[in-house]
């Protein structure tokens, strides 16, 4: 695909990720011709900022995707499945942020800093990884280049905006003592943490927790990778944090790891703990890069390193990564 | 020690832990004769609730400990070191919550549910473990009885009250938009997480993180135990949560682990994830027991289990544990 301007559709444009996609298309000066912002009936007519202009969202009607080059998907898996054939049939490439197609062999799952070349094998759909997966893998991929990653033990600190605008509303209403009409979480999240995200599988893990292993194996081309993950919601508006123990085939020193991560695209090291420099939501807020720090040798396994990672999950974990994939297609 | 009534001193009585100790002495109907509440000059004269009565805090003057049977320490390590000799010299047993004496061979380090018998070897001082250590070990000790624990990978979610009243004030002032005069943390904690608690050691770990290994080995009588820990402050007022991967000599099934933990003193299982039952600060708040859930086989190591644990760090992590030690001494 090589044009002067590209016509872009956004599916689920009025949600937290959809709005972010439109903002990022503008701020990265993507060569946008037309933008078509799609939404549910309920949200149709919403004005979404695009630089100094606004885009007005509309419902998906017959022929809605005609003439589009790329559709960025920021809707649910159900909505993604409903429209995928029509999008691809209309000739657009569908870059989808839902989990609907991530496991499919004919659908590349892409983090541009890691496996951009995999986009070449697409058949009309390219998937964007899960938010925590994108943030974590961007940080650990430089280690995988030094020595293959065998396994990871992961605990996440996931922001409420990971559950969309409803998650932000719940936290803000709870903190200000207002009634919460449509809670995004099964319990209060203000002054609480909720150690369960996604649906529970028979072995006691959630589908959210398994994404790190399944998606990680596919993106890193490491099918035998195992990841044991505990996903926890925390009362933070934006930015996911991740505590990771990464085991590699051969030991990597903390210094080697630091140098590799510091040199990697998409990563910023924040690794001077003694001087108060470590990754935090406060620092990663609205940033494109993933922050990596607390880099140290694990004390239980000489072949492992412990890291703390923080990234803006609406950006690298979702909207930015999708726009970066679109940029690959147009280069 | 066997008396009708015991005279109790509280060192650091006006802080979060000291107040909790006094409340717990009352609620557990400890056979209290006299209570002497000590504090700094600045806080002297503070009224602290003791049931329907109040106790008024005073500074430590000459002979202040005379006639006391037990002194509960809720002050800093410096204060504990300053008065320890005088307390022991006066004939009282010093049950200290600071880290000052925990590593000393002649000082038992006690979690009553695990190693109550170790109290017998005291020479006037008994130490209370670190808050996260107490909560985590109470939950994993039942597994250690099935098969010795070899190592643990731990990530904590520590409440602001772990840094005392100043920590609570900082969070509340930040959330209500007020000025924070004496911040307890180096960065904003509202809508943030801070992945650094304690002083940083040369290998990149903090002293807070190393406590789990050093204190864990002593309490479990497992000197070769290794623990790799990442301690993180979260914007929660009260209750620490802990995500743990526990590796044992032989594999333990999730069912075996559940049964052992459910039968253990000091633990309540909250382990029905599919039905929304898991440990949270919301549930553990002002409870004596440690809540344990998300019990499942680790996916990276067949000899490991993953758990999520939550406990009220002012209670089991500090004040309750100290009063429980006092109860052992008086039985």
């Amino acid at each position: 695909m090589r044009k002067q301007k590209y016509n872009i559709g956004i599916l689920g444009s009025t949600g937290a990720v959809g709005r972010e996609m439109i903002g990022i298309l503008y701020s990265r000066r993507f060569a946008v011709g037309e933008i078509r912002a799609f939404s549910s009936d309920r949200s149709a007519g919403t004005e979404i900022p695009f630089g100094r202009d606004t885009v007005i969202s509309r419902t998906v009607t017959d022929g809605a995707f005609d003439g589009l080059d790329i559709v960025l998907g920021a809707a649910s898996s159900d909505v993604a499945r409903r429209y995928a054939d029509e999008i691809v049939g209309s000739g657009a490439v569908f870059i989808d942020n839902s989990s609907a197609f991530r496991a499919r062999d004919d659908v590349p799952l892409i983090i541009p800093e890691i496996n951009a070349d995999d986009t070449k094998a697409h058949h009309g759909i390219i998937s964007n990884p899960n938010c925590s997966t994108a943030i974590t893998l961007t940080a650990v991929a430089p280690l995988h280049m030094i020595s293959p990653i065998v396994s990871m033990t992961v605990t996440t600190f996931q922001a409420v905006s990971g559950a969309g605008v409803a998650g932000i509303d719940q936290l803000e209403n709870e903190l200000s003592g207002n009634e919460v009409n449509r809670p995004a979480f099964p319990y209060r999240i203000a002054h609480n943490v909720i150690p369960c995200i996604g649906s529970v599988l028979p072995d006691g893990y959630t589908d959210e927790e398994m994404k790190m292993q399944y998606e990680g194996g596919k993106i890193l081309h490491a099918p035998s990778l195992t990841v044991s993950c505990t996903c926890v919601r925390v009362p933070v508006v934006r930015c996911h944090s991740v505590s990771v123990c990464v085991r590699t085939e051969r030991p990597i020193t903390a210094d080697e790891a630091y140098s590799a991560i510091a040199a990697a695209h998409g990563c910023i090291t924040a690794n001077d703990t003694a001087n108060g420099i470590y990754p935090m939501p406060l620092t990663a807020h609205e940033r494109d890069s993933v922050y990596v720090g607390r880099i140290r040798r694990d004390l239980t396994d000489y072949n492992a390193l412990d890291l703390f990672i923080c990234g803006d999950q609406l950006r690298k974990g979702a909207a930015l990564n999708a726009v970066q994939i679109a940029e690959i297609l147009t280069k």
Side-chain angles (χ1 to χ4, degrees), chain A:
Chain A
M1 212 188 295
R2 188 105 180 121
K3 295 177 153 193
Q4 290 279 354
K5 297 270 186 186
Y6 300 87
N7 296 332
I8 308 285
I10 314 280
L11 199 64
S13 59
T14 58
V17 173
R19 286 169 174 277
E20 198 73 26
M21 283 172 170
I22 293 171
I24 289 173
L25 285 170
Y26 181 83
S27 63
R28 289 176 74 94
R29 300 177 191 195
F30 194 92
V32 173
E34 183 195 349
I35 289 198
R36 276 180 229 161
F38 300 108
S39 71
S40 64
D41 291 357
R42 190 165 49 83
S43 303
T46 304
E47 293 193 353
I48 305 154
F50 177 68
R52 264 173 284 187
D53 294 331
T54 54
V55 185
I56 295 171
S57 72
R58 61 172 100 171
T59 55
V60 181
T61 49
D62 279 354
F65 305 114
D66 291 353
L68 292 180
D69 298 299
I70 292 170
V71 174
L72 301 176
S76 67
S77 291
D78 284 349
V79 171
R81 278 193 205 95
R82 192 180 318 149
Y83 295 114
D85 282 349
E86 200 177 328
I87 293 168
V88 176
S90 78
V93 178
F94 184 28
I95 302 173
D96 181 35
N97 193 49
S98 85
S99 60
F101 310 108
R102 288 179 194 152
R104 259 172 53 176
D105 284 340
D106 61 338
V107 174
L109 178 64
I110 302 293
I111 297 177
E113 290 84 352
I114 302 176
N115 64 336
D117 279 355
D118 289 354
T119 52
K120 290 175 187 159
H122 82 80
H123 295 83
I125 305 177
I126 298 175
S127 279
N128 214 32
N130 165 261
C131 46
S132 299
T133 304
I135 289 165
T136 306
L137 290 188
T138 301
V140 302
L143 308 181
H144 190 63
M145 300 296 107
I146 302 177
S147 173
I149 295 174
V150 176
S151 69
M152 299 197 283
T153 300
V154 175
T155 297
T156 70
F157 298 65
Q158 296 185 222
V160 294
S161 54
V165 174
I168 305 175
D169 286 349
Q170 177 173 344
L171 175 60
E172 290 185 344
N173 282 322
E174 286 171 348
L175 287 174
S176 53
N178 296 332
E179 207 181 324
V180 178
N181 290 317
R182 281 190 301 196
F185 311 115
Y187 299 99
R188 195 185 76 196
I189 185 63
H191 297 307
N192 195 25
V193 310
I194 302 178
C196 179
I197 302 179
S199 347
V200 183
L201 308 173
D203 63 357
Y205 287 84
T206 68
D207 60 347
E208 179 85 0
E209 288 166 348
M210 295 312 300
K211 287 171 185 170
M212 192 83 77
Q213 175 168 308
Y214 298 148
E215 299 181 15
K218 182 166 176 174
I219 294 165
L220 294 176
H221 299 177
S224 61
L225 175 75
T226 55
V227 183
S228 213
C229 185
T230 303
C231 287
V232 183
R233 188 74 65 189
V234 295
V236 167
V237 171
R238 191 166 167 151
C239 295
H240 288 357
S241 305
V242 190
S243 173
V244 191
C245 168
V246 195
R247 290 170 212 93
T248 47
E249 277 186 17
R250 74 160 182 83
I252 300 174
T253 67
D255 285 347
E256 272 182 289
Y258 174 85
S259 303
I261 294 167
H265 283 292
C267 294
I268 291 181
T269 50
N271 192 49
D272 185 1
T273 315
N275 287 308
I277 309 293
Y278 29 74
M280 292 184 292
L282 191 66
T283 1
H285 191 90
E286 297 192 358
R287 301 283 171 170
D288 286 347
S289 294
V290 163
Y291 288 73
V292 191
R294 300 299 320 271
I295 303 170
R296 60 214 196 278
R297 171 92 64 197
D298 184 88
L299 298 174
T300 73
D301 185 343
Y302 195 75
N303 276 35
L305 289 164
D306 293 351
L307 321 173
F308 197 80
I309 304 163
C310 195
D312 189 324
Q313 95 287 355
L314 294 177
R315 294 216 168 182
K316 188 59 199 169
L320 171 66
N321 198 75
V323 173
Q324 285 178 306
I325 295 171
E327 289 171 349
I328 297 172
L329 297 181
T330 59
K331 254 173 205 148

